[in-house]
Amino acid sequence: MTTDDIEQGMDELTAHLDRAWDLLDRGELRGAERSARQALLNEPGSAEAYTILGIVALNDGLVEKALERFEHAIELDPEYVEPYLHAAETHLYQGDNDKEALRLTEEALDHAEEEEEYLDALLLKAEILLSRQDEVSDAAARKTLAELPDALPDDPAILLRAGHAFLELDNPKAAERHYQAAAALEPDSPDGWYGLGLCAEARNDERLKVKHWLHVRELDLKADDPPWTIPEAEFESIAEQALEELPPIARDKLVNVPILASDYPAADIVKDGMDPRMLGFFAGVPYPEKSSMGGPAHLDCIFLYKRNIERVAQSPEDVREEIRITLLHETGHFFALDEEELEALGLG
């Protein structure tokens, strides 16, 4: 094989991998899978291609297959940080195995050479510790975040994750610094502004919170539909199917409670301090509080916010599950269940 043949093969490999990552970003899983497999024809030992195939498998709901592919990528190239991080996130969020997630993240930190890799792994470590929700782990998360450089990075995604972590540790001042930087880098992106609204809420600054969240609503309204958006008729059909999961006595009590789907919360309720990115909303009087002695009628209603649900999802299957969980969550509010009770039922 000549040098020209080798260079041509490497060029083709890079092109296939670049295309696979681009298709993944656009939610085109099958195209990303085809490009990754084409890359493997050029280089059977490509750790990057196996990492992409692992991400595709994960989005298809094939958790074990995804982990196998991430582990194979690590075996092929132990210095490549990406599969460590994806495997750690999979163990944390799909496998409920924070110990293995933390081990993999520590390995990623050992191998990270680029600043972006290091920050990504460091924040993931903090997120794993925060998921444990105990004082010792929170203290360890604070110590981990203290390793962030004083100079803020110019990566909005990293800044947003740091803001979320600081806010979870009840440090709105540090969170606000990161959200402000993210909003300055991408003023037309709503995410930094949303974080600033959360910081204002943490400080009980209602006026500033509403100001930021109205701006978030305006920006969200301009956003394109995600690749996994579903038709409105299908959205409503899934909600109807979710209602069938309720016991007959519960469905009977909900018979006069309309379920309305709209893209986003109305501006008026955001002005009242409601979250513009909430997935659903029960408006009315909870059933146990209704007077048996008569009195003025109350219009009860359950709202489902289609674009917000699709925003937090990563696939059409995720959308369907989020519709189900959101509807059951809001019917729980109709029956006067609080957030802790709903969380215990798996509807948090």
Side-chain angles (χ1 to χ4, degrees):
M1 182 179 291
T2 67
T3 302
D4 288 344
D5 291 335
I6 294 172
E7 290 179 351
Q8 181 180 351
M10 293 302 295
D11 288 344
E12 289 178 358
L13 173 65
T14 300
H16 288 311
L17 292 171
D18 288 347
R19 177 166 174 75
W21 286 116
D22 181 59
L23 290 167
L24 270 182
D25 288 341
R26 291 171 9 210
E28 298 180 24
L29 298 180
R30 302 283 72 83
E33 183 176 25
R34 285 192 296 272
S35 292
R37 293 195 182 282
Q38 285 293 324
L40 287 174
L41 293 177
N42 288 87
E43 176 52 66
S46 170
E48 192 171 348
Y50 275 103
T51 300
I52 292 167
L53 290 174
I55 296 170
V56 170
L58 189 60
N59 278 276
D60 286 337
L62 305 174
V63 175
E64 291 302 319
K65 180 174 285 188
L67 287 172
E68 288 174 7
R69 288 172 173 174
F70 295 143
E71 289 164 6
H72 188 51
I74 291 170
E75 291 172 2
L76 289 168
D77 186 358
E79 303 296 318
Y80 183 40
V81 172
E82 200 77 19
Y84 289 100
L85 298 177
H86 284 290
E89 289 179 343
T90 304
H91 278 295
L92 178 63
Y93 298 116
Q94 305 291 333
D96 197 25
N97 187 345
D98 62 323
K99 289 184 179 179
E100 180 63 10
L102 192 59
R103 184 191 69 79
L104 287 161
T105 304
E106 295 285 8
E107 287 197 37
L109 283 168
D110 289 340
H111 294 296
E113 295 181 355
E114 302 293 330
E115 182 185 48
E116 183 178 351
E117 294 176 340
Y118 173 75
L119 293 177
D120 198 357
L122 196 67
L123 287 169
L124 181 55
K125 179 180 177 180
E127 290 159 358
I128 294 167
L129 292 167
L130 286 168
S131 73
R132 294 177 172 177
Q133 298 183 332
D134 62 68
E135 291 184 5
V136 173
S137 297
D138 284 356
R142 288 190 185 90
K143 185 177 180 180
T144 299
L145 292 176
E147 297 179 35
L148 290 170
D150 291 333
L152 295 181
D154 58 1
D155 184 337
I158 292 292
L159 290 165
L160 291 170
R161 288 174 64 192
H164 297 335
F166 279 118
L167 199 57
E168 196 165 342
L169 287 168
D170 297 321
N171 189 346
K173 183 177 180 181
E176 188 170 46
R177 177 171 176 255
H178 287 79
Y179 286 133
Q180 284 175 338
L185 286 169
E186 292 185 339
D188 293 331
S189 171
D191 297 331
W193 301 108
Y194 182 71
L196 289 171
L198 292 173
C199 291
E201 182 178 50
R203 296 195 309 271
N204 296 314
D205 188 337
E206 193 72 10
R207 182 196 63 80
L208 187 58
K209 179 188 80 170
V210 169
K211 177 184 176 182
H212 286 316
W213 280 0
L214 284 171
H215 186 48
V216 169
R217 184 180 181 276
E218 291 176 4
L219 293 174
D220 275 344
L221 283 168
K222 297 175 184 177
D224 294 332
D225 287 332
W228 43 83
T229 188
I230 63 175
E232 186 173 340
E234 183 179 353
F235 187 96
E236 294 173 351
S237 175
I238 295 167
E240 291 173 3
Q241 292 169 22
L243 273 181
E244 294 300 315
E245 295 184 30
L246 296 172
I249 189 171
R251 293 202 303 271
D252 289 345
K253 290 178 171 58
L254 284 161
V255 70
N256 292 320
V257 180
I259 297 169
L260 303 178
S262 60
D263 279 348
Y264 293 104
D268 285 345
I269 67 172
V270 177
K271 288 177 183 177
D272 288 338
M274 301 301 290
D275 189 335
R277 289 186 161 183
M278 60 184 172
L279 307 185
F281 179 56
F282 167 66
V285 178
Y287 183 80
E289 298 175 18
K290 294 182 184 298
S291 172
S292 61
M293 303 299 292
H298 294 276
L299 177 60
D300 298 326
C301 189
I302 292 174
F303 293 91
L304 299 178
Y305 299 116
K306 182 175 183 290
R307 291 288 297 277
N308 282 348
I309 288 174
E310 291 173 343
R311 183 183 57 79
V312 302
Q314 296 296 320
S315 68
E317 292 72 25
D318 278 355
V319 174
R320 296 183 184 95
E321 182 62 11
E322 287 294 344
I323 295 169
R324 173 187 167 275
I325 291 174
T326 302
L327 178 61
L328 297 178
H329 180 104
E330 299 308 326
T331 58
H333 284 311
F334 173 77
F335 290 110
L337 298 179
D338 61 25
E339 293 297 331
E340 288 186 3
E341 291 170 315
L342 289 166
E343 188 73 37
L345 292 171
L347 300 173

